[in-house]
Amino acid sequence: MINQNLEQVLALARDGDLCAREELIRSHRDFIAKVSSKACNRFLTWDDDELSVALLGFNEAIDKFRPSEGASFHTFAQRVIRSRLVDFFRKESRHRYLSLSPMDPDDEELSRFDMEYSSEQYQEAENQTLFAEVVESYIETLAEYGVILDDLVKVSPKHRDSKETLLKVALRLINEPVLLQFLKNNKLLPLKELESITGVKRRVLEKGRKYLIALVLILTDSKFYPLKSFTEIPGISIGEKVPPQ
C-alpha cells in the first residue's frame, strides 16, 4: 500500500467506510503482530490477549491519525499500540517479560510490569539476536516461502496426532540433505518424494505445507531457536539427527 493510497484509505476509514477500515486492518496484521511481539519480547499469535489489545490500538490510530502533525501513520500507530499495551499491563498486572528500546518514551511505564524472568527459549538464545529481531527475521524468511503469520496461525494443526504426523515428516525431511536443499533452493516442498519416503498422503502434506515449512525453518536455522516452543516441539535440539521414520 503506497503512501498516497494509504492516506486515501485512511481518510475513507475515518469517514465511516467500513470496507476501507477492514482493508487497513487486514493489510496491517503482520505489522500489528511485529510491533506487539517486539513490545512484549515474545512471539505472539492471534490467540493472545495482547494482540487483541493491539488491534484495538490500531483501530484507534486510524481514527486519531492526522497527517498534518508530522509523524507517519505507521509511527503513530506504533505509539498508540504501545500505549494501549501499557494500559493493559497496568490494569491486569500481567507477569510478562517486557524489554523496549532505552529511548522509548513508554519504557519506564512498561518496566513496572517487568517481572525480570525470561522463558526457557529466551534463556537458551540470550547470546543470539534479541528475540524481537528473531521474530522479525522469521517473518521475513517465511515470506520468501509465501507464508505469512496469519497463514501459520490458521493452518497450525489443532489435533495432537496431526501435529505429530507433520513433525515426523519435518524431521525426516531434515535428515534428507537432497530434499532439504531442494526446499531451500526452490522454496517448495518436495511433496512427491516426501509422500514416498514417509507414507503420508499427499493431500495431508499439501494441507500442512505452510506448517511444515515453518517447522523446518525453525529446526534447521539456529537463529530461530527461540521460537521452538511456539511449535511445541519437546526435547529436540537444532541440528539434531533422528532415525528415519
Side-chain angles (χ1 to χ4, degrees):
M1 189 179 292
I2 60 176
N3 290 336
Q4 183 179 6
N5 186 43
L6 174 60
E7 291 182 5
Q8 292 172 347
V9 178
L10 280 167
L12 289 172
R14 285 195 299 272
D15 289 340
D17 189 325
L18 294 180
C19 289
R21 186 176 295 270
E22 290 174 2
E23 168 60 19
L24 280 168
I25 293 172
R26 184 198 64 77
S27 63
H28 283 83
R29 283 174 69 88
D30 280 356
F31 169 80
I32 296 169
K34 283 202 291 187
V35 170
S36 305
S37 293
K38 186 174 182 178
C40 297
N41 208 7
R42 69 185 184 90
F43 185 57
L44 299 175
T45 74
W46 288 97
D47 291 328
D48 289 312
D49 291 342
E50 291 88 341
L51 274 183
S52 296
V53 172
L55 189 59
L56 292 174
F58 183 83
N59 196 50
E60 179 183 341
I62 293 174
D63 293 325
K64 293 185 175 181
F65 175 68
R66 296 295 181 269
S68 59
E69 295 180 1
S72 71
F73 172 71
H74 293 113
T75 298
F76 180 75
Q78 182 174 343
R79 290 174 182 170
V80 176
I81 289 171
R82 292 166 70 91
S83 179
R84 294 294 74 78
L85 287 171
V86 168
D87 293 340
F88 172 71
F89 283 106
R90 182 189 296 116
K91 291 178 182 178
E92 301 296 324
S93 296
R94 292 290 180 86
H95 300 325
R96 292 285 189 258
Y97 183 85
L98 301 177
S99 178
L100 303 182
S101 61
M103 298 303 294
D104 193 286
D106 296 327
D107 188 46
E108 181 179 354
E109 192 70 38
L110 279 167
S111 66
R112 297 177 186 176
F113 305 95
D114 183 354
M115 303 309 292
E116 295 184 347
Y117 79 94
S118 57
S119 62
E120 180 181 355
Q121 80 264 25
Y122 191 83
Q123 291 174 345
E124 293 171 347
E126 62 185 358
N127 293 323
Q128 301 178 30
T129 31
L130 294 174
F131 187 76
E133 293 177 353
V134 174
V135 172
E136 186 167 358
S137 178
Y138 186 60
I139 290 172
E140 292 173 353
T141 303
L142 282 174
E144 295 175 6
Y145 292 79
V147 182
I148 61 175
L149 281 182
D150 196 25
D151 290 335
L152 192 53
V153 173
K154 290 178 181 178
V155 303
S156 295
K158 302 299 185 294
H159 301 293
R160 182 175 179 178
D161 56 346
S162 298
K163 185 170 292 187
E164 289 178 350
T165 295
L166 293 179
L167 174 58
K168 289 179 180 178
V169 173
L171 293 174
R172 184 60 189 273
L173 174 57
I174 291 169
N175 280 282
E176 297 289 338
V178 174
L179 299 186
L180 182 60
Q181 195 59 48
F182 177 90
L183 172 64
K184 300 285 187 178
N185 290 343
N186 299 282
K187 305 298 187 277
L188 296 171
L189 281 175
L191 295 173
K192 180 178 179 181
E193 291 80 0
L194 284 176
E195 180 182 22
S196 176
I197 65 176
T198 65
V200 178
K201 297 296 185 183
R202 187 184 182 99
R203 61 179 177 80
V204 175
L205 297 174
E206 289 176 339
K207 184 177 180 180
R209 179 184 68 83
K210 293 177 180 179
Y211 184 75
L212 279 170
I213 289 173
L215 281 179
V216 172
L217 289 176
I218 290 174
L219 292 173
T220 58
D221 194 328
S222 61
K223 73 175 176 240
F224 297 141
Y225 186 74
L227 305 178
K228 184 171 72 102
S229 66
F230 172 69
T231 62
E232 299 179 7
I233 304 171
I236 297 174
S237 298
I238 297 298
E240 177 182 345
K241 292 293 184 179
V242 297
Q245 303 295 321

